[in-house]
Amino acid sequence: MTTTPLPRLQTTLEAAPQRPDALGRFGRFGGKYVPETLMPALAELETAFHAYKNEPGFQQELQGLMRDYVGRPSPLYFAERLTTHYGRGDRPSPQIYLKREDLNHTGAHKINNALAQVLLAQRMGKRRIIAETGAGQHGVATATVCARFGLDCIIYMGVHDMERQSLNVFRMRLMGAEVRPVSAGTGTLKDATSEAIRDWVTNVETTHYILGSVAGPHPYPMIVRDFQAVIGQETRAQCLEKWGGLPDILLACVGGGSNAMGLFHEFIDEPTVRLIGVEAAGEGVDTEKHAATLTRGRVGVLHGAMSYLLQDAEGQVIEPYSISAGLDYPGVGPEHSFLKDWERAEYYGITDAAALEGFQRLSRLEGIIPALETAHAIAYLDTLCPQLDGSPRIVINCSGRGDKDVQTVTQLLNLG
Amino acid sequence: MGIIAVSDCLTALRDRAQCALIPFITAGDPDLQTTAAALEVLDQNGADLIELGVPYSDPLADGPVIQAAATRALQRGTRLDQVLEMVQDVTPRLRSPLILFTYYNPILNRGISTFLKQIKDAGVAGLVVPDLPLEEAESLLQPAAAIGIEVILLVAPTSPTERIQQIVQQSQGFIYLVSVTGVTGMRSQIQTRVRDLLLELRELTDKSIGVGFGIAHPDQAKQVMEWGADAVIVGSAFVKRLAEGHPNQGLQTIAQFSRSLKAAITDA
């Protein structure tokens, strides 16, 4: 676990440029570093997104399904016993809330984006859907919406991830998706993403690629962010309803970074709201086994975007490591790189061991089994809470439920 | 002897009504010594220019054959400095201009101007960066032109006319027409729309046009030549042959294959 320097206070955010700009850039990050074959498809997708995003028919269908099929809005839950755990007796102490994305249909925030993108794909006349998946949550969400709309669905998944997330592989197949194993590299999310992009290059005229994170070439980081922004929008309304104000601190785990962007986006222009992203430090950021891209990476290009990247001295991409399949990615969404350089958001690492503690703590204190990804954000409370004065209100994005991880964790914990 | 520019080489061939053969191999597969030998073998057996792939960990535009070759090369510990050292050693003995094929991140990692200077010093004439479309290429095109490296841009079957117009204007060396909607790799047939694309390109530019991705047989090379290509690029079929059996055997096989391709596009 890294030590936390005091954050620099943000006082002037007026200078914030439009993000992304016309070339898909967040400052120097983002862009479209893809084979020429895909450029027209990216342009087509961007046009469709702008055409439908605010179109009443699209919004009506999306809102209806978000309510009746996904189960939105997701609750903002006051975690009373977790708050007590970090309490200081009679003195003021942090108040901890969970944004319950784990209660969505399919058990994570991923469905927000998958559902919206499938509605876009339908309007673009694409009937074949592909996606990459790491933890399997995005794959499950994509398989789910494809089943709902009767579309062909192919999910690329690393062989190593298929093993550690076998429950999700079964769920995808049950809903009629074809899960294609990817054995290149370490058989994880990076390799699955590369293979999905190759499929898209080959079948681009009939196929829509539902990218699952705020990563990849423009317009994906923008589209996925905007389709996940519902998390932050609901959070704002719920905070207003519960205490009549803003949250003080937002906390979310970051792999590619979609659940964090979904929560942060609404609050970026609110200088009093502190934004904290938690990366996977694996066996420690000073070892070779981690996935802490923003903490340890250098600027590079992967999967179509310029962003921080785990790479060696030659510019070859390093295979990352994390106990959590969803955070096991050597890149990160370009907007997170921008927020880091701009010092608007802070990013820290949490090790496998600490995440496992967070996993158990939330299970025991709140009766909520979080995803291993989410457990990284929970675990950061151990570092954060002792540094805080007064009683700030912390909202953690409880991005997914942990049923899928029980098999992995069973092998690591002896609960007697 | 100075380095011959890619565009000059192709123009000279066109003036003699010849279609160029551009074989591709991956540096460091099976080892750099064999790569060096292969460059000379190709040069002496029908190649007019040669494309040399720098192995990369995440080759998005490549199919299974070149992916596997890059993985093997990296597993052997092939590094860019070693590749350039080998290139510097071999290029003085080559008649064919050498085109480097590399993904963008290794360039960015080294720094664009350093990278360009180093490959120029090594004797490289041209550069293909498959994940750098026109919109992102500006940062590379100007400094490359200044130092005398021709950056070859790609046109895909999916590229709309307005894009093609901009690409052909900016591309140096030649226009690289991707013959398939897809990644590199051997195909059994060349789509007839390549003919239409060649006609469309010819209307828009006087620059040479090379066709690549998917060409694996002499009769396909001939077909593309007859449709009006100035150059035929063959990759996976060479990489696969060179990787089979003992390196010496691979070298013999690619020599023969290269001659058969050149013969197919030479007959009058």
Side-chain angles (χ1 to χ4, degrees):
Chain A
M1 203 179 305
T2 53
T3 50
T4 312
L6 282 174
R8 208 181 71 173
L9 281 177
Q10 293 297 317
T11 47
T12 52
L13 295 177
E14 291 79 16
Q18 188 202 335
R19 290 183 307 273
D21 67 15
L23 291 173
R25 296 217 168 253
F26 304 86
R28 62 179 165 152
F29 301 107
K32 297 182 185 180
Y33 297 89
V34 293
E36 169 63 22
T37 310
L38 291 182
M39 293 300 282
L42 293 173
E44 182 194 358
L45 178 59
E46 189 176 355
T47 305
F49 174 70
H50 288 305
Y52 292 113
K53 173 173 75 159
N54 298 317
E55 193 248 332
F58 178 85
Q59 275 304 328
Q60 197 181 1
E61 187 177 6
L62 180 59
Q63 297 314 325
L65 286 162
M66 282 289 206
R67 185 185 63 233
D68 299 337
Y69 189 66
V70 177
R72 300 207 74 91
S74 69
L76 182 67
Y77 164 74
F78 177 58
E80 192 178 339
R81 295 193 68 220
L82 195 62
T83 295
T84 306
H85 176 79
Y86 290 106
R88 301 163 190 144
D90 293 339
R91 291 185 296 129
S93 50
Q95 308 293 299
I96 302 164
Y97 292 80
L98 303 177
K99 178 62 176 163
R100 297 293 307 277
E101 292 297 300
D102 60 314
L103 292 178
N104 292 339
H105 178 42
T106 72
H109 71 290
K110 293 290 186 186
I111 189 94
N112 303 330
N113 167 57
L115 178 62
Q117 280 204 45
V118 95
L119 295 183
L120 261 190
Q122 276 201 315
R123 282 158 173 79
M124 289 189 291
K126 309 258 169 123
R127 299 203 48 85
R128 180 177 179 270
I129 300 292
I130 58 169
E132 84 295 339
T133 198
Q137 289 304 114
H138 175 56
V140 166
T142 303
T144 300
V145 295
C146 286
R148 169 66 182 74
F149 289 96
L151 302 173
D152 292 339
C153 181
I154 291 148
I155 305 292
Y156 288 93
M157 190 168 188
V159 285
H160 178 55
D161 289 343
M162 285 179 72
E163 205 175 297
R164 56 179 167 172
Q165 304 284 317
S166 58
L167 175 67
N168 275 343
V169 174
F170 181 77
R171 292 166 80 195
M172 289 184 264
R173 287 177 172 156
L174 186 63
M175 291 183 285
E178 179 190 343
V179 182
R180 290 193 184 164
V182 178
S183 55
T186 46
T188 60
L189 181 55
K190 165 180 92 100
D191 313 297
T193 306
S194 294
E195 209 48 41
I197 293 175
R198 289 188 189 104
D199 179 312
W200 203 33
V201 171
T202 307
N203 301 295
V204 63
E205 287 154 308
T206 59
T207 299
H208 176 63
Y209 176 21
I210 301 191
L211 212 152
S213 194
V214 287
H218 178 69
Y220 281 106
M222 170 182 74
I223 290 182
V224 179
R225 175 197 70 192
D226 287 0
F227 286 154
Q228 290 291 2
V230 63
I231 301 171
Q233 288 155 5
E234 285 178 8
T235 299
R236 181 192 281 273
Q238 289 162 330
C239 292
L240 206 58
E241 188 189 303
K242 283 190 193 306
W243 62 80
L246 291 166
D248 297 298
I249 298 172
L250 302 178
L251 191 55
C253 64
V254 177
S258 67
N259 91 76
M261 268 329 296
L263 180 63
F264 293 174
H265 185 59
E266 175 73 17
F267 299 96
I268 285 182
D269 296 330
E270 297 285 0
T272 61
V273 181
R274 192 175 159 192
L275 311 176
I276 301 176
V278 181
E279 298 190 295
E283 294 183 359
V285 291
D286 296 322
T287 72
E288 286 180 354
K289 297 186 79 178
H290 65 78
T293 309
L294 289 160
T295 311
R296 277 289 185 269
R298 286 184 293 119
V299 176
V301 166
L302 177 67
H303 295 145
M306 186 176 291
S307 196
Y308 280 96
L309 176 64
L310 294 176
Q311 55 184 319
D312 68 13
E314 292 276 297
Q316 305 287 351
V317 181
I318 292 174
E319 299 288 349
Y321 165 79
S322 167
I323 190 178
S324 136
L327 304 183
D328 201 348
Y329 185 65
V332 65
E335 194 165 4
H336 283 294
S337 292
F338 173 77
L339 293 176
K340 175 191 160 79
D341 277 14
W342 187 28
E343 297 183 29
R344 177 63 190 96
E346 308 152 51
Y347 298 90
Y348 305 106
I350 281 290
T351 62
D352 286 359
L356 278 171
E357 283 175 30
F359 183 84
Q360 295 172 84
R361 187 172 303 121
L362 195 67
S363 301
R364 287 185 182 165
L365 292 180
E366 297 290 349
I368 296 170
I369 303 174
L372 274 175
E373 292 76 19
T374 312
H376 284 72
I378 305 289
Y380 189 67
L381 288 170
D382 253 19
T383 309
L384 179 67
C385 288
Q387 300 170 349
L388 299 173
D389 293 328
S391 46
R393 293 184 174 94
I394 304 172
V395 174
I396 303 177
N397 195 352
C398 191
S399 55
R401 69 180 184 218
D403 309 45
K404 68 184 179 59
D405 296 310
V406 167
Q407 200 183 331
T408 303
V409 176
T410 306
Q411 291 161 10
L412 297 166
L413 296 182
N414 184 3
L415 297 180
Chain B
M1 192 178 73
I3 300 166
I4 303 164
V6 173
S7 49
D8 291 344
C9 174
L10 286 167
T11 307
L13 286 165
R14 186 156 66 175
D15 288 347
R16 302 201 300 273
Q18 280 193 30
C19 179
L21 173 64
I22 312 183
F24 169 103
I25 54 171
T26 300
D29 180 48
D31 53 52
L32 280 173
Q33 200 185 338
T34 305
T35 306
L39 292 174
E40 294 201 60
V41 161
L42 293 170
D43 189 54
Q44 290 153 14
N45 288 277
D48 297 293
L49 301 96
I50 305 172
E51 208 180 324
L52 181 66
V54 177
Y56 182 55
S57 55
D58 295 80
L60 278 186
D62 283 306
V65 171
I66 296 177
Q67 266 182 64
T71 304
R72 286 191 300 264
L74 290 174
Q75 276 166 355
R76 283 190 68 94
T78 309
R79 292 184 304 107
L80 183 58
D81 285 337
Q82 299 167 332
V83 172
L84 294 182
E85 236 169 75
M86 179 276 292
V87 167
Q88 185 152 25
D89 184 51
V90 174
T91 43
R93 299 196 291 279
L94 298 182
R95 186 182 43 83
S96 317
L98 195 72
I99 299 164
L100 212 60
F101 175 103
T102 174
Y103 287 85
Y104 188 49
N105 199 51
I107 300 178
L108 191 68
N109 176 66
R110 189 150 292 212
I112 289 171
S113 58
T114 308
F115 178 87
L116 288 170
K117 186 177 181 313
Q118 287 177 344
I119 65 168
K120 178 74 182 175
D121 290 347
V124 170
L127 189 57
V128 176
V129 188
D131 57 348
L132 201 67
L134 182 65
E135 283 80 349
E136 307 291 353
E138 205 175 312
S139 55
L140 189 64
L141 284 166
Q142 290 310 321
I147 204 169
I149 295 278
E150 292 183 307
V151 177
I152 297 137
L153 298 178
L154 296 92
V155 167
T158 52
S159 308
T161 307
E162 315 83 71
R163 274 189 73 78
I164 294 180
Q165 280 168 341
Q166 293 168 349
I167 294 168
V168 299
Q169 210 164 36
Q170 296 288 324
S171 187
Q172 305 152 355
F174 64 95
I175 316 300
Y176 194 135
L177 174 59
V178 176
S179 69
V180 294
T181 307
V183 293
T184 61
M186 299 167 283
R187 308 295 202 280
S188 54
Q189 261 189 321
I190 304 300
Q191 299 169 0
T192 47
R193 70 171 163 183
V194 171
R195 182 181 47 194
D196 304 331
L197 284 160
L198 276 164
L199 287 172
E200 187 182 350
L201 279 171
R202 195 59 83 197
E203 296 270 300
L204 296 171
T205 183
D206 290 333
K207 292 177 183 170
S208 298
I209 305 163
V211 177
F213 282 41
I215 300 169
H217 302 291
D219 49 341
Q220 293 171 331
K222 183 165 191 259
Q223 177 78 87
V224 168
M225 180 267 292
E226 286 172 353
W227 284 341
D230 298 304
V232 178
I233 304 148
V234 179
S236 294
F238 273 106
V239 172
K240 181 170 176 285
R241 281 171 173 78
L242 186 56
E244 276 168 359
H246 188 273
N248 284 338
Q249 199 182 329
L251 289 169
Q252 276 175 24
T253 315
I254 62 164
Q256 201 179 10
F257 183 55
S258 184
R259 283 198 303 273
S260 68
L261 285 167
K262 183 63 185 176
I265 57 175
T266 304
D267 91 35

